[in-house]
Amino acid sequence: MLYKTILSAAVLASSAFARPTSQLPADGFPNPDAKQLSSISNAASGQLSNAPPPPALNASSVPIFQLINFNENFEVAFFNSLIHNITTGVSGFQMPFAQEKKALLSVLKTVLAQEELHAINAAGVVGHFGGVVPAPCVYKFPTTDLISAINLAETFTSLVLGTLQDASEGLSINGDHGPVRAVGSVIGQEGEQNGYFRNLLNLKPSEKPFLTTSIAEFAFSALQDFVVSCPFDIASTIPIPIHPTINVLNGTYAAIRNESLTFTTDLTNVTAAQPFIGNSSAVTKGLYMTYFTGQDAPVSVPVANASFSGNVLTFSAMFPYHEFVMDGLTLGALTTSGNLSSPAAVGAATLAAPALINIANHIV
Ligand SMILES: *[C@@H]1O[C@H](CO)[C@@H](O)[C@H](O)[C@H]1NC(C)=O
Ligand SMILES: *[C@@H]1O[C@H](CO)[C@@H](O)[C@H](O)[C@H]1NC(C)=O
Ligand SMILES: *[C@@H]1O[C@H](CO)[C@@H](O)[C@H](O)[C@H]1NC(C)=O
Ligand SMILES: *[C@@H]1O[C@H](CO)[C@@H](O)[C@H](O)[C@H]1NC(C)=O
Ligand SMILES: *[C@@H]1O[C@H](CO)[C@@H](O)[C@H](O)[C@H]1NC(C)=O
Ligand SMILES: *[C@@H]1O[C@H](CO)[C@@H](O)[C@H](O)[C@H]1NC(C)=O
Ligand SMILES: *[C@@H]1O[C@H](CO)[C@@H](O)[C@H](O)[C@H]1NC(C)=O
Ligand SMILES: *[C@@H]1O[C@H](CO)[C@@H](O)[C@H](O)[C@H]1NC(C)=O
């Protein structure tokens, strides 16, 4: 029913427009006092853990929590903007049925408060172990209607669900079993959110048997596309590589099957890409499109039909949907090898990423 409501909301037009508002909720976030924190906890249906922090954290694990914090800050601003748009009836976000509007807002307000606590928790870990806590940035959202916004929420939540796998593995490699239980609790929590978003979009709530993996640098790179400016220097504060993202000319949500897709990316600032710039035959000989889908080993296919416009590369590559049953989110990376055995190896060979390809499996 909500799906129908959202569809009808999308076709409504109105002269309402967004009044400029702060991007952050007016509840003290990211530094609420005790009273504000208690009210956020009530809205979130639960509170920050009162258990003591682990006695120590490997310095290599600090960026893991900086990235979680950086991402959650974005999510807080996104859901705050979405709630504002729905509440005030911004054009494209109007919901004609009061009861359904009330239900959606009630869920989104809980999600917002939960994301605030995720951010505050990650900031607490970073600060406790001497790292620089990333303050909220100023963001731009590409969405101007309810369905696109829920679609985007679904896509970035899937990306986060893959990236938290990388966070757990990273903590384990760094000898930090302490926070793994809490990260696991957030993975399930974000999965619950995404099941709801997917249901709103008439997608099956459970996306895949094994959710698509990601790596920290892919999430960090994708987030840059939403950032206008931050009150700190991103690259020197959070030591995670940033790649140019890849646009899918066929559209992120297209019902793509076993076909070739066309991609474009700007390699201007990529040192390792300089030998390839302007040389299409070097690209088709030496570069690959490498996909993360589910928990499969990285899937590499050759790059074809490369062309340059300045430093901007356009190329095609097969999207082997049938062979790997690529429903849901797939991430693509432009890599210098076509034989990569692990997610970390893909990161080390990446020139540009991620491409976000999200194949719908609708509820019939
Ligand atoms: C809220 O509406 C404004 C105005 O259309 C838009 O720019 C912004 O992206 C919307 N927010 C979200 C989260 O879609
Ligand atoms: C800290 O993490 C690094 C990188 O994973 C690892 O090499 C090192 O052994 C870890 N230190 C401890 C005490 O586990
Ligand atoms: C993807 O887009 C390219 C460029 O617009 C087009 O040539 C190609 O046919 C499209 N592929 C699919 C599967 O739509
Ligand atoms: C390349 O780096 C410069 C300097 O940081 C920046 O202004 C520019 O936007 C970057 N270009 C791309 C395509 O990333
Ligand atoms: C383009 O790259 C190929 C290697 O794939 C190389 O043989 C050729 O000399 C390069 N062409 C130019 C103009 O640099
Ligand atoms: C490259 O272009 C040719 C000619 O348009 C087309 O037949 C071929 O399918 C393309 N390859 C890919 C991988 O898109
Ligand atoms: C997918 O497309 C490739 C190239 O056109 C073809 O060789 C392969 O048989 C196709 N697979 C399926 C399952 O359709
Ligand atoms: C792929 O890499 C593995 C080692 O990681 C190696 O054993 C294998 O021969 C390589 N395959 C190809 C086709 O290069």
Side-chain angles (χ1 to χ4, degrees):
M1 281 303 106
L2 270 168
Y3 176 57
K4 291 204 179 86
T5 303
I6 284 178
L7 272 184
S8 56
V11 298
L12 275 184
S14 106
S15 58
F17 52 85
R19 302 219 321 274
T21 50
S22 160
Q23 291 189 312
L24 297 180
D27 59 7
F29 179 85
N31 297 304
D33 62 25
K35 191 158 168 266
Q36 290 168 321
L37 185 59
S38 153
S39 120
I40 295 170
S41 303
N42 286 328
S45 300
Q47 62 180 12
L48 293 171
S49 169
N50 62 5
L57 190 77
N58 192 324
S60 301
S61 294
V62 169
I64 293 174
F65 287 98
Q66 286 180 309
L67 174 59
I68 292 175
N69 193 0
F70 187 80
N71 172 66
E72 296 289 4
N73 287 344
F74 157 72
E75 292 199 32
V76 166
F78 178 88
F79 287 116
N80 192 52
S81 169
L82 182 56
I83 289 167
H84 168 82
N85 287 358
I86 296 169
T87 305
T88 60
V90 168
S91 176
F93 294 85
Q94 292 173 311
M95 297 188 69
F97 301 111
Q99 203 49 42
E100 281 157 334
K101 174 173 172 178
K102 193 174 158 199
L104 180 58
L105 282 172
S106 131
V107 174
L108 290 176
K109 284 175 183 175
T110 299
V111 165
L112 172 63
Q114 291 168 340
E115 300 300 5
E116 288 178 62
L117 294 186
H118 292 168
I120 291 168
N121 177 62
V125 175
V126 172
H128 185 78
F129 292 106
V132 177
V133 173
C137 301
V138 176
Y139 307 95
K140 54 176 191 271
F141 312 117
T143 46
T144 52
D145 66 83
L146 186 51
I147 292 182
S148 313
I150 301 288
N151 256 312
L152 179 60
E154 195 274 335
T155 299
F156 70 62
T157 303
S158 282
L159 179 60
V160 168
L161 285 165
T163 309
L164 290 175
Q165 299 166 23
D166 198 53
S168 305
E169 186 184 82
L171 291 168
S172 149
I173 290 170
N174 297 344
D176 287 323
H177 68 269
V180 171
R181 186 183 295 269
V183 171
S185 84
V186 173
I187 294 177
Q189 202 280 341
E190 299 276 352
E192 290 180 326
Q193 290 184 24
N194 228 23
Y196 176 74
F197 299 145
R198 293 178 58 80
N199 192 53
L200 289 179
L201 296 165
N202 199 35
L203 300 171
K204 293 175 186 172
S206 50
E207 180 181 349
K208 296 183 80 62
F210 305 99
L211 295 182
T212 293
T213 205
S214 175
I215 51 179
E217 61 202 78
F218 286 11
F220 196 42
S221 301
L223 285 166
Q224 304 306 318
D225 288 348
F226 302 123
V227 169
V228 175
S229 63
C230 293
F232 56 91
D233 180 63
I234 299 177
S236 64
T237 304
I238 305 181
I240 296 174
I242 296 173
H243 305 290
T245 54
I246 302 175
N247 273 323
V248 190
L249 290 187
N250 308 85
T252 301
Y253 307 107
I256 304 150
R257 291 297 181 247
N258 185 34
E259 291 171 279
S260 164
L261 297 180
T262 302
F263 303 94
T264 179
T265 187
D266 187 335
L267 299 171
T268 302
N269 293 333
V270 186
T271 310
Q274 297 312 307
F276 295 93
I277 286 176
N279 188 336
S280 302
S281 75
V283 168
T284 48
K285 270 195 201 118
L287 300 184
Y288 301 82
M289 191 63 171
T290 298
Y291 297 111
F292 288 156
T293 187
Q295 292 290 316
D296 279 325
V299 176
S300 290
V301 297
V303 162
N305 299 339
S307 66
F308 280 94
S309 166
N311 296 319
V312 177
L313 169 66
T314 300
F315 64 95
S316 299
M318 277 300 295
F319 183 72
Y321 170 85
H322 291 288
E323 189 178 353
F324 299 97
V325 196
M326 295 161 94
D327 283 322
L329 184 67
T330 290
L331 305 179
L334 181 67
T335 57
T336 53
S337 166
N339 182 24
L340 297 161
S341 56
S342 68
V346 173
T350 287
L351 299 182
L356 302 171
I357 305 158
N358 205 348
I359 306 298
N361 48 351
H362 284 117
I363 302 171
V364 286

